Amino acid sequence: MAQRREQSSAALKTQLRPLYSEAFGIAARAVAEDERENWTNAKSLYETAARLADALSKLEIDERKLEVLAEKRIEYLDRAKDLHAIVSASQSSNGSFQSASDENVSAEGTLTAEASQIKSGPGSRRRSDAHAGPVMVGILPNPVSPTFRRPASAKSLTDTASRGSSMTLNQNCQNLNTCHTTAYSPAEVQVLRKSSYINGKMYLPWSDDDGKEQARTGRLYVDSDGPLALSPHQKLRFAEWRRAGDIWGTVMVHPSKTARIVQDVVTDCSVVASLSVGIVYERQFSKKLLTSMIFPQTNDAVPLYNSEGKYIVKLILNGVARRVVVDDFLPVDRQASPLCAFSEDGSIWPGILEKAYLKVWGGYGFPGSNSGIDLHAMTGWIPENVFFKDPCLHEAQFFQRLKNGLHSGNALITLGTPATMAESTKDLGLVAGHAYSVVDATEVLRAGLKPVPTLVVRNPWRKLRPQSPGIQKPQVLANESSGILSIPFADICKWFDTAHVNWNPQMWAHRHTLHSSWLSAGPRNDAFNLGDNPQYALEVDVHDVRLAAVWILLTKHVTRTEENTDYLTLHVYNGTEGRKVYYPEPPYVRGVYINNPHILLSQHEKSIRALEYTFTVYAMSPFRVQEVADLCPHVYRFSGGWTESTSGGSMNHASFARNPQYVIELACPCTISITLDAPKDLAVNLKIMGGCPDQLRWTDDHVVHSSGDYRRGFCVIKNASLEAGRYTIVPSTFEASCQGNFALSVHTSSPVVVRARSD
């Protein structure tokens, strides 16, 4: 019986093998078309691959393979759905849609694609820009022909917005002693184009001309994208869409110093907390921040009421400032009370800014992310997440950082509670999974006691949870309906989960931003090999005895709301002399893998598609940053394996010469790097052998270069120099008779001849 089952299983494998080959072959073609931005072809291929995966799952009996097939089918269908939205949005926008294969580059360097003429500058090698705020992208007045430009001004986003100044292409950098170019490279243009599509809609990069656009056309503006989707709670109370002016009047920003931003039924508490800390900052420091992102506006960056209902909002999305257009229709209940964020003084701006941000992410049903993400989109301030349960957190020092940041006007702070909380903690009036804005950081003096570090926090909900009798609750500074609580910092660290701190980019004298794409090539997991990960060389000039602070921000480009499966981090290695790092040895600074879009770059588990990202360095001293140079651009890849007859083991074994061998012929001196990926349970090594390639017994004298000690799963020979001649590459396992497949990649500085030795 067992023999029959084995025969049946073998027959099934034989039957399914061509189907597997066809399915994953089509999937590979889909990925290739996707990366070329031939999205119509890619969509069709993904759908075909999904159908084949579904068919295979009805025949397969191996549980592990069934799980993989189900996962792949979902991945292919999800990507096909994304591409359908992208193609539909492109076809419905002004002009015709063109894929990357249809692009034409003129003699002037103008790239025509997606009905856009996108200019790239001369060369892609740049040094750090002294622009102290997030990079903005300029476009030509005609929205059909956007031109991506890298600004070179040392102004923050908010300063530029509040003055209404124009960021021209050739402005001089301030506070920078290194030369630079201001135009985006062709590769960056491609990244920014691809990231312009979010949830199936296209959001063009911001131009100063957007702020000057005539918002009045003589007729009422109604957003052609239709009304925003409502949350389940809103739907229960929804009566109609009503214009903001009919709800509150026609004042965009009231001069009130105390009115709060509140929410009643919407679920985006992180957004409302962001609006709250932003307006507190504006009132306290008399500077425009959030409100200056809404147009039309005065020369002093004060938003103006538009009787026709059209507003253009500037948001930082996927690495650059982009324009989001909304009308002023907002949801109300049967009593005409707003079902969205609003200001108690009747100012219109919170409802408009919230609507624009939620439009990008799919509507009022957006559950919120965290305020660090939201505030970065609304202000460009640098997000930092601090976990109170981090054992390395020094509470006293962190409180002092928060206090100094708040009082100097350089920090916006919100707090998040855990998703679940003990009942006793809930009785304190705190809500699980909720965002609170921080109004102040102070030290409260109490009789006979030392000053107590304290945060003053505000709950954006107007109705607070009732307190249970006998429970010690936070000290209430105002009445309970105000939502303002004064909580000792020690209790903050105990009750709250995370502090989201956004720092003013003007604190940094120097910055540099670049945009790139992480292709899906290479191993899906980087636990053994970092060589396929994006890597950058950073050199900082420090001319005095003090250390120079450097912050690095990695921003993942997100093109759909539910896209949160890519876990990223950023590691810093020192002593590399700007060379590529392969082995994941303990880094100088180790990051934590997280699916947050912002990390203050190693991808733990890659998906089947490319990942776009923005990489920004902020520093107090001049610096230079560039992608690690590829000294060996010519690549030769081989798939091989050790079998019972070809696994000779290390040179300790007389059978070493039985290992697979690859002959490389050099016509001139050459630099070479070789990588070997193998099963993680095998200890492997690479050697480059010289001398007579036909002899059966190699000795140590024949070893020209080696990867060193045997390592499990992966090894590399890095930047080895070879004279002209003939050499043999030998991949081996430590023990003889070990069996398994491997992938060998030979990278050379000039073209060579590499072949598997067959004799």
Side-chain angles (χ1 to χ4, degrees), residues 437-454:
S437 55
V438 176
V439 178
D440 194 12
T442 185
E443 292 174 318
V444 177
L445 296 175
R446 295 179 180 173
L449 298 175
K450 293 181 179 180
V452 179
T454 301

Side-chain angles (χ1 to χ4, degrees), residues 98-156:
Q98 291 178 297
S99 65
S101 60
D102 300 323
E103 295 165 359
N104 297 303
V105 181
S106 70
E108 293 78 22
T110 303
L111 179 68
T112 304
E114 293 180 23
S116 305
Q117 294 177 337
I118 305 173
K119 285 187 179 178
S120 60
S124 59
R125 296 187 63 187
R126 298 180 303 272
R127 296 193 177 186
S128 58
D129 296 338
H131 179 61
V135 163
M136 290 190 291
V137 176
I139 63 176
L140 293 174
N142 183 354
V144 179
S145 304
T147 300
F148 289 83
R149 296 174 295 167
R150 183 185 304 282
S153 163
K155 301 167 184 166
S156 75

Side-chain angles (χ1 to χ4, degrees), residues 513-712:
T513 296
L514 56 85
H515 313 277
S516 189
S517 181
W518 188 349
L519 302 180
S520 57
R524 291 196 65 183
N525 191 293
D526 62 15
F528 296 90
N529 175 15
L530 298 176
D532 290 299
N533 294 21
Q535 299 187 21
Y536 299 89
L538 173 65
E539 182 181 2
V540 183
D541 297 333
V542 182
H543 299 297
D544 55 31
V545 295
R546 295 192 305 169
L547 297 177
V550 176
W551 282 12
I552 304 174
L553 177 66
L554 174 65
T555 300
K556 176 180 67 175
H557 293 191
V558 179
T559 56
R560 55 177 179 166
T561 301
E562 64 273 18
E563 196 174 75
N564 63 349
T565 57
D566 296 304
Y567 283 75
L568 306 177
T569 192
L570 187 146
H571 300 310
V572 178
Y573 288 83
N574 62 349
T576 64
E577 297 182 349
R579 301 291 182 87
K580 181 172 285 191
V581 174
Y582 287 91
Y583 295 136
E585 307 288 1
Y588 179 65
V589 178
R590 179 182 295 278
V592 177
Y593 288 96
I594 190 171
N595 62 348
N596 190 321
H598 304 290
I599 296 96
L600 225 185
L601 141 66
S602 160
Q603 185 176 10
H604 182 58
E605 193 78 15
K606 281 187 280 193
S607 59
I608 60 172
R609 56 183 176 76
L611 176 73
E612 281 69 44
Y613 62 89
T614 294
F615 179 85
T616 308
V617 180
Y618 304 87
M620 294 298 190
S621 298
F623 65 89
R624 289 157 296 285
V625 62
Q626 63 181 5
E627 192 164 3
V628 170
D630 188 355
L631 302 179
C632 302
H634 305 278
V635 184
Y636 308 85
R637 303 185 190 277
F638 300 89
S639 296
W642 297 281
T643 65
E644 186 175 352
S645 61
T646 64
S647 179
S650 69
M651 292 189 71
N652 295 331
H653 300 270
S655 56
F656 176 76
R658 286 167 39 198
N659 284 302
Q661 298 178 19
Y662 297 83
V663 177
I664 179 169
E665 298 179 6
L666 309 181
C668 60
C670 183
T671 300
I672 182 171
S673 292
I674 310 171
T675 62
L676 177 67
D677 289 279
K680 62 183 180 181
D681 58 332
L682 295 182
V684 296
N685 172 272
L686 280 168
K687 284 183 170 55
I688 301 176
M689 313 298 287
C692 177
D694 298 322
Q695 68 182 59
L696 297 179
R697 177 65 179 172
W698 299 102
T699 68
D700 290 340
D701 293 336
H702 295 102
V703 179
V704 179
H705 290 284
S706 171
S707 61
D709 294 338
Y710 280 77
R711 300 177 62 99
R712 294 197 177 275

Side-chain angles (χ1 to χ4, degrees), residues 324-340:
V324 181
V325 182
V326 293
D327 59 34
D328 66 351
F329 286 91
L330 301 173
V332 298
D333 62 16
R334 292 175 181 83
Q335 286 73 45
S337 297
L339 301 177
C340 58

Side-chain angles (χ1 to χ4, degrees), residues 42-84:
K43 170 182 171 293
S44 176
L45 289 168
Y46 279 125
E47 290 171 341
T48 302
R51 286 194 295 271
L52 289 172
D54 186 50
L56 279 164
S57 66
K58 295 175 181 176
L59 300 172
E60 183 61 74
I61 59 175
D62 186 307
E63 292 295 332
R64 185 180 62 82
K65 292 181 180 179
L66 283 170
E67 291 180 4
V68 173
L69 286 168
E71 176 187 341
K72 291 299 178 187
R73 178 178 176 273
I74 293 172
E75 282 187 14
Y76 299 152
L77 288 176
D78 283 350
R79 187 56 183 162
K81 181 180 178 181
D82 287 348
L83 295 180
H84 175 75

Side-chain angles (χ1 to χ4, degrees), residues 291-311:
T291 58
S292 65
M293 299 298 137
I294 303 173
F295 295 80
Q297 60 182 223
T298 68
N299 292 334
D300 295 325
V302 177
L304 292 170
Y305 175 75
N306 182 3
S307 59
E308 295 175 4
K310 180 179 180 180
Y311 295 95

